[in-house]
Amino acid sequence: MFQKTLIATAVIGAMLASTAHAETLRWTRSADSLTMDPHSQNEGPTHSVNHQIFDTLLYQDMDVEYQPGLATDWYVHEDDPSVWVFEIREGVTFHEGQALTADDVVFSLNRARHENADMRGLLTSIVEVRAADDYTVEVVTDGPNPLLPNNLTNLFIMSREWAEEHGVEEPQDYAAGEETYAVRNANGTGPFRVESREPDVRTVFVRNDDYWGIDHYPMEISELIFTPIESASTRVAALLSGEVDLLQETPVQDIERLSQADGIKNEQGAENRTIFLGMRMDLEVLDSTDVDSNPFADRRVREAINLAVDATTIQRSVMRGNSEPAGMIAPPFVNGYTEEMDEVLPADVERAQALMDEAGYGDGFRVTLNCSNDRYVNDEQICQAVVSMLARIGVTVDLIAQTRSLHFAEMAREEYDFYLLGWGVPTMDSEYVFNYLYHTKEEDRGSWNFTGYSDERVDELTVAMGQEVDEDARNEMIAEAWQIVHDEILYIPIHHQMLTWSMRDDIEFQVQSENTPHFKYLRFNN
Amino acid sequence: MLAFLIQRVLQAVFVMVVVALIAFSLFHYVGDPVLNMVGQEATEADRAALRARLGLDQPLPIQFFQFIANAAQFEFGISYRSARPVTDLIVERLPATLELAIISAIFAVVMGIVLGIYTALNRGNWLSNFIMTASLIGVSLPTFLIGVLLIYVFAVELGWLPAFGRGEVIDLGWWNTGLLTRSGLASLILPAITLGLFQLTLIMRLVRAEMLEVLRADYIKFARARGLSKRVVNLRHALKNTLIPVITIIGLQLGTIIAFAIITETVFQWPGVGALFITAVRFVDIPVMAAYLMMIALVFVVINLIVDLLYYAVDPRLRVQGGAK
């Protein structure tokens, strides 16, 4: 009898111990990673998977704060402001056993700058990457670049030895018509290693027990199973039926239902993406209008539209409360954000109509609004709401909503008078917004500015804020630039998107604004 | 017979080229793949360079002829989305689709014929009336709705069957199958019913109508008069003669099942070629879309050919006419 109890206790003890250390997490979202090659794609779901396998020099944690990864420290070289110094963590090994040195970091950064690498868009300011010694890397830029570290948060470090062994020193070339070894195999230093992978079906990761940060992070998941599910209703059903534990992008229409389901909870947070409308203001006559002028060229018309588009109503009726109405195109955690600027003016149709009268468009005008219907949360419905809101001030809006690959292709050809766009700020700094959305459209700047807006002072400030190393001076430039574009009413901000992740209620995990989960932080409450 | 075959094969090749042409001209309207392939930081120069590397800057006719030349050697290039050879992707995914299609076809044919015979022979009893009414659901509800309803009832509420995926799969080297594992079989049930329900009702109603027609024919009356048993009259004489139109429909529907597996596969996250195609469309993954459309065209062409040959076998009149020529 005594012996039996002892055995039973031992068995239960072993079971408890093993449940604490052997937890499986089944994770789903709508899309799979495109490739395991860490430098060939600059895309959200791909980065999400690679962050589990690889490390970066620095990364944004679950609160989107910058944290040391493979670099323990980074600073501007004391003699040369154009050089960033990164001190590399010692004693780190790759999953297949190679030791990490500065040489691997140099190799990875250069690989990401190769012309086949989509990541090179973030590294254009780099002139040279060199190893000062075994654990120090120096990055030379074409002038002082205070934002360089911010561009490295998705820049994964590979092993040079491994890459050379498998002939993947260069990222995948689509034109070559061949699959490279790195597309389906990975050797990182990250918290999980890949056990098996069937693209678009299932990827199984196991905990890397030799992880350098094994004592710093909870690391409670021993096995991570990722199964993408494209259909929204099936994804939700899989969570409800207990076939998955964590659902990364909860559809807006199911948030309410899941919050009432037993054993399931929702976690919410601001996403790093602002939705807004753009207006073409430099044309003499708009392509899609019935008046022989360009109403958008008149600031009063833009202000009237801003007053007529009621972001609060859109939040309530279209988004069912799951958005944060916005006054500026930068979410709260971005450097340069101010509450005053982000304040949403209450809709005022009378004042809007008065402005229209003043501008000589009292009888309104006709214009086409172009929207995507599968890119942002409820994008088409947002546009439908805008159509009826603008009808109240006499603006007749013809809506064209189409799939994103058509929407963005036509947008890139500058065919739009009035369009919907969403913007995230991966560098967490306003410079990124100005560089792409407000700077005059030129060869390598202003590439997403389809308004035709061009202002010398804004251009000047944009370039300067990318080079100024003095923080206070920089922040002053950023504030000045925001004030100019805010007064001009270049875009009509609608809202900051919210992210919802749903999970089993014994899981302790928060939403990350970049929509990139770091599973090393996840805890189980049992 | 040989002349007949050659004629049909030539027709098939012609059909394939036309399909390729139509598919190719459609791609022009799907959007620009390059925008999906590069991040938002890429400049116009980067995009132009990628477009040139992929040959997308060439005039459409040149792109088309290159495509045909490659397709003739079963070379469909590399997927823009996953950077893997398209042929590999399709070969990997085909077993899932074929297993699903074949199982749901068997389900539809067996159940369709059995229920069709039953409702024809037992006209007016309550069970037949119930089956006929219920079959309206299969005809009128769209596939995705049936799928979602089944998931809701059997996966979420009852928890009996999985809501998505293919379960555990056994790799046989040249084929991967879910038919040998418990979870694989359980995963197959809901998608197979979803996919087969429409065909089931179609076959059932066809069998019933044909059967009723045949049962009125003189030779059936004569057979009855000869005192043959009910069973022999119904199953041998009547059923056999109802089968010719049924075979045509089954043949054509098998192609449809493979082609329309797209919707079922998307609803159930079934890792087949249909789901591959849908993902490809979203991404404007032209090589995958082209290869898929060609494959579907090939399936239809081959099935039609087989159906024609089956007519030859089933209906002796065709052979006589051919011989008399």
PDB file of all heavy atoms in Angstrom, chain B residues 226-240:
ATOM      1  N   ARG B 226     -43.232 -11.700 -67.916  1.00  0.00           N
ATOM      2  CA  ARG B 226     -42.571 -13.002 -67.991  1.00  0.00           C
ATOM      3  C   ARG B 226     -42.449 -13.631 -66.613  1.00  0.00           C
ATOM      4  O   ARG B 226     -41.985 -14.751 -66.469  1.00  0.00           O
ATOM      5  CB  ARG B 226     -41.160 -12.845 -68.579  1.00  0.00           C
ATOM      6  CG  ARG B 226     -41.115 -12.989 -70.088  1.00  0.00           C
ATOM      7  CD  ARG B 226     -39.812 -12.467 -70.628  1.00  0.00           C
ATOM      8  NE  ARG B 226     -38.672 -13.243 -70.156  1.00  0.00           N
ATOM      9  CZ  ARG B 226     -37.429 -12.749 -70.105  1.00  0.00           C
ATOM     10  NH1 ARG B 226     -37.212 -11.484 -70.441  1.00  0.00           N
ATOM     11  NH2 ARG B 226     -36.447 -13.509 -69.703  1.00  0.00           N
ATOM     12  N   GLY B 227     -42.803 -12.859 -65.577  1.00  0.00           N
ATOM     13  CA  GLY B 227     -42.767 -13.400 -64.221  1.00  0.00           C
ATOM     14  C   GLY B 227     -41.418 -13.343 -63.564  1.00  0.00           C
ATOM     15  O   GLY B 227     -41.161 -14.047 -62.595  1.00  0.00           O
ATOM     16  N   LEU B 228     -40.524 -12.490 -64.118  1.00  0.00           N
ATOM     17  CA  LEU B 228     -39.225 -12.343 -63.464  1.00  0.00           C
ATOM     18  C   LEU B 228     -39.425 -11.681 -62.105  1.00  0.00           C
ATOM     19  O   LEU B 228     -40.362 -10.904 -61.912  1.00  0.00           O
ATOM     20  CB  LEU B 228     -38.301 -11.479 -64.315  1.00  0.00           C
ATOM     21  CG  LEU B 228     -37.887 -12.094 -65.652  1.00  0.00           C
ATOM     22  CD1 LEU B 228     -37.068 -11.112 -66.464  1.00  0.00           C
ATOM     23  CD2 LEU B 228     -37.099 -13.389 -65.420  1.00  0.00           C
ATOM     24  N   SER B 229     -38.463 -11.965 -61.214  1.00  0.00           N
ATOM     25  CA  SER B 229     -38.616 -11.407 -59.870  1.00  0.00           C
ATOM     26  C   SER B 229     -38.429  -9.894 -59.936  1.00  0.00           C
ATOM     27  O   SER B 229     -37.755  -9.356 -60.804  1.00  0.00           O
ATOM     28  CB  SER B 229     -37.590 -12.007 -58.917  1.00  0.00           C
ATOM     29  OG  SER B 229     -36.340 -11.424 -59.136  1.00  0.00           O
ATOM     30  N   LYS B 230     -38.999  -9.228 -58.969  1.00  0.00           N
ATOM     31  CA  LYS B 230     -38.950  -7.780 -58.891  1.00  0.00           C
ATOM     32  C   LYS B 230     -37.507  -7.282 -58.883  1.00  0.00           C
ATOM     33  O   LYS B 230     -37.130  -6.322 -59.533  1.00  0.00           O
ATOM     34  CB  LYS B 230     -39.643  -7.353 -57.585  1.00  0.00           C
ATOM     35  CG  LYS B 230     -40.498  -6.125 -57.736  1.00  0.00           C
ATOM     36  CD  LYS B 230     -41.244  -5.890 -56.449  1.00  0.00           C
ATOM     37  CE  LYS B 230     -41.960  -4.544 -56.533  1.00  0.00           C
ATOM     38  NZ  LYS B 230     -42.652  -4.216 -55.304  1.00  0.00           N
ATOM     39  N   ARG B 231     -36.702  -8.017 -58.109  1.00  0.00           N
ATOM     40  CA  ARG B 231     -35.309  -7.676 -57.935  1.00  0.00           C
ATOM     41  C   ARG B 231     -34.553  -7.677 -59.272  1.00  0.00           C
ATOM     42  O   ARG B 231     -33.839  -6.730 -59.602  1.00  0.00           O
ATOM     43  CB  ARG B 231     -34.711  -8.733 -56.996  1.00  0.00           C
ATOM     44  CG  ARG B 231     -33.481  -8.332 -56.280  1.00  0.00           C
ATOM     45  CD  ARG B 231     -32.980  -9.565 -55.538  1.00  0.00           C
ATOM     46  NE  ARG B 231     -31.538  -9.614 -55.654  1.00  0.00           N
ATOM     47  CZ  ARG B 231     -30.752  -8.928 -54.825  1.00  0.00           C
ATOM     48  NH1 ARG B 231     -31.270  -8.209 -53.865  1.00  0.00           N
ATOM     49  NH2 ARG B 231     -29.447  -8.976 -54.964  1.00  0.00           N
ATOM     50  N   VAL B 232     -34.766  -8.752 -60.031  1.00  0.00           N
ATOM     51  CA  VAL B 232     -34.082  -8.873 -61.320  1.00  0.00           C
ATOM     52  C   VAL B 232     -34.563  -7.781 -62.276  1.00  0.00           C
ATOM     53  O   VAL B 232     -33.763  -7.139 -62.960  1.00  0.00           O
ATOM     54  CB  VAL B 232     -34.319 -10.274 -61.922  1.00  0.00           C
ATOM     55  CG1 VAL B 232     -33.781 -10.335 -63.342  1.00  0.00           C
ATOM     56  CG2 VAL B 232     -33.671 -11.332 -61.056  1.00  0.00           C
ATOM     57  N   VAL B 233     -35.853  -7.538 -62.296  1.00  0.00           N
ATOM     58  CA  VAL B 233     -36.391  -6.518 -63.195  1.00  0.00           C
ATOM     59  C   VAL B 233     -35.811  -5.152 -62.845  1.00  0.00           C
ATOM     60  O   VAL B 233     -35.280  -4.441 -63.702  1.00  0.00           O
ATOM     61  CB  VAL B 233     -37.943  -6.461 -63.087  1.00  0.00           C
ATOM     62  CG1 VAL B 233     -38.475  -5.303 -63.920  1.00  0.00           C
ATOM     63  CG2 VAL B 233     -38.539  -7.767 -63.549  1.00  0.00           C
ATOM     64  N   ASN B 234     -35.869  -4.829 -61.559  1.00  0.00           N
ATOM     65  CA  ASN B 234     -35.422  -3.488 -61.144  1.00  0.00           C
ATOM     66  C   ASN B 234     -33.926  -3.298 -61.296  1.00  0.00           C
ATOM     67  O   ASN B 234     -33.470  -2.312 -61.850  1.00  0.00           O
ATOM     68  CB  ASN B 234     -35.803  -3.235 -59.679  1.00  0.00           C
ATOM     69  CG  ASN B 234     -37.294  -3.024 -59.542  1.00  0.00           C
ATOM     70  OD1 ASN B 234     -37.966  -2.660 -60.516  1.00  0.00           O
ATOM     71  ND2 ASN B 234     -37.816  -3.288 -58.356  1.00  0.00           N
ATOM     72  N   LEU B 235     -33.171  -4.268 -60.780  1.00  0.00           N
ATOM     73  CA  LEU B 235     -31.734  -4.051 -60.710  1.00  0.00           C
ATOM     74  C   LEU B 235     -31.002  -4.434 -61.983  1.00  0.00           C
ATOM     75  O   LEU B 235     -29.989  -3.833 -62.321  1.00  0.00           O
ATOM     76  CB  LEU B 235     -31.132  -4.776 -59.500  1.00  0.00           C
ATOM     77  CG  LEU B 235     -31.615  -4.229 -58.151  1.00  0.00           C
ATOM     78  CD1 LEU B 235     -30.888  -4.874 -57.005  1.00  0.00           C
ATOM     79  CD2 LEU B 235     -31.461  -2.703 -58.081  1.00  0.00           C
ATOM     80  N   ARG B 236     -31.473  -5.460 -62.700  1.00  0.00           N
ATOM     81  CA  ARG B 236     -30.752  -5.828 -63.895  1.00  0.00           C
ATOM     82  C   ARG B 236     -31.279  -5.042 -65.095  1.00  0.00           C
ATOM     83  O   ARG B 236     -30.578  -4.259 -65.703  1.00  0.00           O
ATOM     84  CB  ARG B 236     -30.822  -7.342 -64.133  1.00  0.00           C
ATOM     85  CG  ARG B 236     -30.105  -7.647 -65.409  1.00  0.00           C
ATOM     86  CD  ARG B 236     -29.309  -8.922 -65.557  1.00  0.00           C
ATOM     87  NE  ARG B 236     -29.097  -9.882 -64.553  1.00  0.00           N
ATOM     88  CZ  ARG B 236     -29.527 -11.144 -64.663  1.00  0.00           C
ATOM     89  NH1 ARG B 236     -30.279 -11.505 -65.687  1.00  0.00           N
ATOM     90  NH2 ARG B 236     -29.219 -12.009 -63.747  1.00  0.00           N
ATOM     91  N   HIS B 237     -32.533  -5.207 -65.385  1.00  0.00           N
ATOM     92  CA  HIS B 237     -33.068  -4.612 -66.612  1.00  0.00           C
ATOM     93  C   HIS B 237     -33.230  -3.098 -66.512  1.00  0.00           C
ATOM     94  O   HIS B 237     -32.814  -2.372 -67.407  1.00  0.00           O
ATOM     95  CB  HIS B 237     -34.403  -5.272 -66.960  1.00  0.00           C
ATOM     96  CG  HIS B 237     -34.245  -6.719 -67.277  1.00  0.00           C
ATOM     97  ND1 HIS B 237     -34.125  -7.178 -68.566  1.00  0.00           N
ATOM     98  CD2 HIS B 237     -34.139  -7.793 -66.466  1.00  0.00           C
ATOM     99  CE1 HIS B 237     -33.960  -8.495 -68.529  1.00  0.00           C
ATOM    100  NE2 HIS B 237     -33.968  -8.891 -67.255  1.00  0.00           N
ATOM    101  N   ALA B 238     -33.841  -2.642 -65.436  1.00  0.00           N
ATOM    102  CA  ALA B 238     -34.124  -1.201 -65.350  1.00  0.00           C
ATOM    103  C   ALA B 238     -32.855  -0.396 -65.070  1.00  0.00           C
ATOM    104  O   ALA B 238     -32.515   0.533 -65.804  1.00  0.00           O
ATOM    105  CB  ALA B 238     -35.163  -0.939 -64.267  1.00  0.00           C
ATOM    106  N   LEU B 239     -32.128  -0.794 -64.032  1.00  0.00           N
ATOM    107  CA  LEU B 239     -30.982   0.002 -63.600  1.00  0.00           C
ATOM    108  C   LEU B 239     -29.932   0.142 -64.708  1.00  0.00           C
ATOM    109  O   LEU B 239     -29.430   1.219 -64.991  1.00  0.00           O
ATOM    110  CB  LEU B 239     -30.355  -0.633 -62.355  1.00  0.00           C
ATOM    111  CG  LEU B 239     -29.186   0.144 -61.762  1.00  0.00           C
ATOM    112  CD1 LEU B 239     -29.644   1.523 -61.338  1.00  0.00           C
ATOM    113  CD2 LEU B 239     -28.580  -0.590 -60.594  1.00  0.00           C
ATOM    114  N   LYS B 240     -29.659  -0.997 -65.387  1.00  0.00           N
ATOM    115  CA  LYS B 240     -28.618  -0.979 -66.400  1.00  0.00           C
ATOM    116  C   LYS B 240     -28.924   0.061 -67.477  1.00  0.00           C
ATOM    117  O   LYS B 240     -28.046   0.773 -67.946  1.00  0.00           O
ATOM    118  CB  LYS B 240     -28.519  -2.369 -67.040  1.00  0.00           C
ATOM    119  CG  LYS B 240     -27.124  -2.690 -67.529  1.00  0.00           C
ATOM    120  CD  LYS B 240     -27.045  -4.112 -68.000  1.00  0.00           C
ATOM    121  CE  LYS B 240     -25.684  -4.404 -68.612  1.00  0.00           C
ATOM    122  NZ  LYS B 240     -25.669  -5.728 -69.215  1.00  0.00           N
TER     123      LYS B 240
END
